[in-house]
Amino acid sequence: MERIERQLAGSLDGGTGAPVSPREDEDTQDHLTERQAVLLQATRSLTRVRFTGGAGSGKTWLAVEKARMLSKQGKRVGLFCYNKGLGQYLQDRVSSWRQAKPIFTGEFHEYVRQLGVPDGKCQDYFDVEMPRLLREMAGTMPAYQRLDAVIVDEAQDFAPLWWEALLACTADPENGEVYAFMDDRQDVYKRWGGLTADLNQGPTATFVPIHIDENLRNTRKIAETFKPFAGEHFTPRGSTGLPVRRVHCSTDEALDVAGDCVEALIDEGWANNQIALLTTKERHPVHLDYFDRGATEEYWREFHAGDAEFYGHVLGFKGLERSVVILCVNGFKDMARAAEQLYVGLSRARSLLVVVGDSELLEEAGGRELKHSLARAEAWDYSLAVPG
């Protein structure tokens, strides 16, 4: 009742509480994203395309829509990604279609396993040996198993050897339809060289480049925060939105402080299923419990069910989003990858972004431009939002 009273009473100070209806801003974002379908119509005669755009440009929506269009044409389509969370999201989207669907939707490595390539354990197996075995199998693959079209979301996560093996599974490896949706500045796994990844090499070098410069999935306040990472052509198009919030604390305290921020936001009136807490180093205890129990499938099912707040790591949240994101900067395992991780984490929120962590570490990882961006954020005393 106290929360309801605060919402009904209103405020004239521009406040820091939840907007009357963040759904309105997000409905507008959805509408802008759907207008991107014009890109698919304009490029329908091109059979090998590299759609390159920054965070929030609607690439995942375009990938799913392209898969729908090609499936309705009777083509055998494979819709691929690398991350498990994004894979389940794509499967959920496709499962609602009543008619033609891709013959495979989800993680590349799961596709390889389904074809009968044995599972492995070390990273070298997944990066080198597995794609080699897949290419060998593709040589004897019957025609009815081959793909007419390949679509890859977050394609910068795909190593060159994966591309070569996947294309070998198509009906026409040299000229078949292939559509890659990627952000060359979100190469967090260093498949192509990092923040200034050069995608004009390897199997995708001959693809026609189509640039998607507009940010549609974040408010402008959020988009301006990660703009230093997104490139010179990055253009925010969303509504102004709420100020980004900044909570300074030591790196050791960041995890506890971020957890308190979740409670403070819920007390403000945000629904718990609108909130995601993302870490940059150690997992949150809730996330760690799923990991230790080997309950990864259950973990991602609960995220997509949207019944509660979500605790994750930025590396596993690529291509996903929530209305509110608390970015908990609790250190980095590899400072060489820190900038890409910050780019991902800062761009996952649609309506409200809260950045928790040490200012010096953030500047070291993200540079002076990020420091200046965060200087415009609102210093938030989360303790004032928690009763008692």
Side-chain angles (χ1 to χ4, degrees), residues 81-381:
C81 67
Y82 172 64
N83 275 356
K84 186 174 292 294
L86 180 57
Q88 285 199 6
Y89 171 78
L90 296 176
Q91 290 169 1
D92 288 348
R93 289 287 305 273
V94 168
S95 66
S96 65
W97 298 353
R98 295 184 178 181
Q99 299 178 345
K101 301 179 182 180
I103 64 169
F104 179 86
T105 300
E107 302 163 79
F108 166 69
H109 292 95
E110 188 59 35
Y111 172 72
V112 179
R113 294 186 189 101
Q114 286 187 15
L115 290 177
V117 174
D119 204 355
K121 294 182 179 180
C122 65
Q123 194 62 42
D124 185 65
Y125 176 84
F126 290 111
D127 289 347
V128 180
E129 185 66 9
M130 178 179 271
R132 184 187 67 80
L133 293 173
L134 178 60
R135 287 195 68 177
E136 289 182 359
M137 178 176 290
T140 59
M141 183 179 290
Y144 70 87
Q145 280 191 330
R146 293 186 176 275
L147 300 167
D148 297 318
V150 166
I151 299 170
V152 181
D153 191 23
E154 297 290 346
Q156 74 281 352
D157 294 345
F158 272 49
L161 290 179
W162 301 354
W163 274 108
E164 293 172 7
L166 186 56
L167 296 184
C169 298
T170 62
D172 186 352
E174 297 298 325
N175 302 299
E177 293 188 68
V178 189
Y179 305 93
F181 296 83
M182 59 176 63
D183 184 347
D184 54 2
R185 305 179 76 85
Q186 276 196 61
D187 181 27
V188 298
Y189 301 108
K190 301 292 184 181
R191 309 288 192 208
W192 301 87
L195 193 61
T196 56
D198 182 8
L199 298 172
N200 295 309
Q201 58 180 335
T204 62
T206 59
F207 293 8
V208 177
I210 301 295
H211 297 283
I212 315 172
D213 297 326
E214 296 185 336
N215 172 275
L216 311 172
R217 306 294 297 173
N218 311 97
T219 64
R220 293 195 184 194
K221 292 284 189 181
I222 295 170
E224 291 292 340
T225 301
F226 63 83
K227 188 175 181 179
F229 299 109
E232 60 179 319
H233 300 293
F234 177 82
T235 307
R237 293 297 189 197
S239 58
T240 301
L242 294 167
V244 172
R245 302 186 192 182
R246 179 74 178 89
V247 180
H248 174 78
C249 66
S250 70
T251 302
D252 291 339
E253 297 174 319
L255 203 56
D256 289 336
V257 170
D260 291 339
C261 289
V262 173
E263 299 302 320
L265 289 167
I266 292 173
D267 190 67
E268 280 187 8
W270 294 94
N272 61 350
N273 62 1
Q274 291 179 294
I275 301 169
L277 187 159
L278 305 179
T279 61
T280 56
K281 191 177 181 183
E282 283 83 10
R283 296 177 175 88
H284 185 277
V286 173
H287 184 192
L288 184 61
D289 176 63
Y290 282 100
F291 181 80
D292 288 343
R293 290 189 288 113
T296 306
E297 294 290 339
E298 176 188 351
Y299 170 74
W300 285 111
R301 279 198 302 271
E302 291 196 6
F303 167 73
H304 293 296
D307 293 330
E309 63 268 27
F310 177 77
Y311 300 89
H313 191 282
V314 291
L315 292 181
F317 211 69
K318 293 176 83 277
L320 303 175
E321 60 191 16
R322 271 210 172 171
S323 297
V324 183
V325 166
I326 302 169
L327 178 59
C328 173
V329 184
N330 60 336
F332 300 95
K333 292 182 179 179
D334 181 2
M335 286 300 294
R337 300 167 63 185
E340 287 88 355
Q341 290 189 41
L342 286 176
Y343 179 27
V344 173
L346 293 167
S347 60
R348 298 304 94 199
R350 297 186 65 178
S351 295
L352 175 63
L353 171 65
V354 181
V355 182
V356 177
D358 180 74
S359 297
E360 291 185 4
L361 178 61
L362 279 161
E363 182 179 0
E364 180 185 357
R368 294 182 60 83
E369 287 186 313
L370 177 61
K371 177 184 178 181
H372 294 323
S373 294
L374 291 177
R376 297 191 293 269
E378 174 187 275
W380 183 40
D381 186 352

